[in-house]
Amino acid sequence: MFKYVSILSVLLMLISITSFAARDEDTVQAIWTFDEGDAVDTSGKDVNGTLVGDPEVVDGAMGKAFQFDGVDDGIKLPDSNGLNTGGPFMNRTIAAFFKCDDVTVTDQKQTIFEEGGRTRGIVVNVFDSKVYVGAWNRAEYQWAGAWPSADVESGVWYHVALVLRDSINQVQDDKFEMWLNGEMIASEPGGQLFAHGDDTGIAHTNANAVFHDDDGGGTNIHYFGGIIDEVIVYNSAFVASDFEEYADVIQSLTSVEPQGKSTTTWGALKAQRLK
């Protein structure tokens, strides 16, 4: 009887861990699709952005997107308890489609998304032909941060994501992941993210961010030049199956199939996901 109960307990624990680790729609914190030509959060959490500069509405990876000029275009996002001012955050997924006009730029970082500041935060950016994802928590338990990267090319669509998975108040191996086009390409030490009140931005650094090679102090800097689409934030850790549809979109965008077909297909996928 004891053996049976022990096996049952282990199975229940594994089921619980599996369901907690994967995408959980109850944990969505923001979705910016840009399909209506604005930065309204379609998740229902009302993390609505404010456009700065004059980003252009263009065709994106999934519906409409914004083309940013790399000079003064961006989106400023308000504080949100589920996004940055609450916490601590043990699980997090941030993902976006992007197509950078010139990945070789080295006189500034090209920020896709950033939240937090010098002490605690998250950043996704392009610099010198690489896309980086980064996170750090330089208080409480002193996680200096991690910034895995991957090579990228100008004028090519990519889907990039970072995942913080089952982290605690301690730096542990394999808690911070980088995903590109549906594949995990790096798993590094990491820990949970405590509340971080510095401003949040898309397509620029709204206020302070720590990059792979500097502490990034400054506001309204590091603008992105190119297209950004379908930015999402969840407080659950996606697994491979959760990234499949995004990988399929990338495959379609880089195939020889007519663009109209892919737009119709991924519009249907998006509608199905929101049911």
Side-chain angles (χ1 to χ4, degrees):
M1 177 65 178
F2 177 76
K3 182 178 180 180
Y4 172 78
V5 172
S6 298
I7 294 173
L8 179 61
S9 299
V10 171
L11 288 174
L12 289 174
M13 181 179 69
L14 290 174
I15 292 171
S16 175
I17 291 173
T18 301
S19 62
F20 180 69
R23 179 178 187 151
D24 180 356
E25 293 300 332
D26 289 338
T27 71
V28 63
Q29 300 305 318
I31 297 176
W32 299 280
T33 67
F34 309 136
D35 285 345
E36 301 302 320
D38 55 32
V40 170
D41 169 22
T42 62
S43 76
K45 297 298 178 67
D46 295 325
V47 189
N48 299 318
T50 301
L51 301 179
V52 294
D54 189 25
E56 180 185 357
V57 179
V58 297
D59 290 333
M62 296 176 71
K64 295 299 181 180
F66 277 119
Q67 169 85 45
F68 300 93
D69 65 5
V71 178
D72 59 6
D73 290 347
I75 299 173
K76 295 187 179 298
L77 302 172
D79 286 339
S80 163
N81 188 60
L83 189 69
N84 64 323
T85 56
F89 304 102
M90 296 172 289
N91 289 277
R92 171 65 62 91
T93 299
I94 296 174
F97 289 99
F98 74 93
K99 181 167 67 170
C100 188
D101 291 340
D102 183 3
V103 301
T104 67
V105 171
T106 58
D107 60 349
Q108 66 175 24
K109 308 300 190 295
Q110 296 192 73
T111 306
I112 297 171
F113 179 91
E114 63 85 18
E115 60 177 80
R118 285 175 156 180
T119 304
R120 310 169 193 85
I122 285 172
V123 69
V124 183
N125 71 280
V126 173
F127 180 75
D128 195 14
S129 300
K130 293 182 181 293
V131 59
Y132 291 83
V133 302
W136 57 96
N137 196 102
R138 297 177 167 183
E140 289 83 30
Y141 62 98
Q142 301 300 317
W143 177 27
W147 291 266
S149 66
D151 293 337
V152 290
E153 298 179 3
S154 302
V156 176
W157 276 108
Y158 296 93
H159 185 262
V160 63
L162 64 83
V163 175
L164 193 63
R165 188 180 305 281
D166 298 334
S167 60
I168 62 172
N169 189 22
Q170 177 182 334
V171 179
Q172 295 181 314
D173 290 341
D174 301 324
K175 296 300 179 182
F176 184 63
E177 302 167 0
M178 179 180 188
W179 292 71
L180 191 68
N181 297 345
E183 295 185 6
M184 186 173 71
I185 62 171
S187 180
E188 300 199 7
Q192 66 188 25
L193 192 62
F194 283 78
H196 42 288
D198 279 10
D199 294 335
T200 304
I202 294 173
H204 74 308
T205 297
N206 195 353
N208 303 319
V210 180
F211 296 93
H212 68 285
D213 61 352
D214 72 73
D215 281 345
T219 61
N220 300 321
I221 55 176
H222 298 313
Y223 288 89
F224 181 85
I227 305 175
I228 298 175
D229 194 10
E230 192 81 6
V231 183
I232 64 172
V233 180
Y234 280 71
N235 283 339
S236 54
F238 284 24
V239 296
S241 59
D242 298 318
F243 288 113
E244 285 179 356
E245 69 176 89
Y246 304 109
D248 288 344
V249 172
I250 292 297
Q251 183 176 6
S252 175
L253 289 169
T254 56
S255 74
V256 296
E257 294 182 3
Q259 184 67 33
K261 181 177 179 181
S262 64
T263 301
T264 302
T265 303
W266 310 130
L269 274 175
K270 182 185 293 187
Q272 182 179 5
R273 187 178 74 244
L274 295 174
K275 287 182 179 178

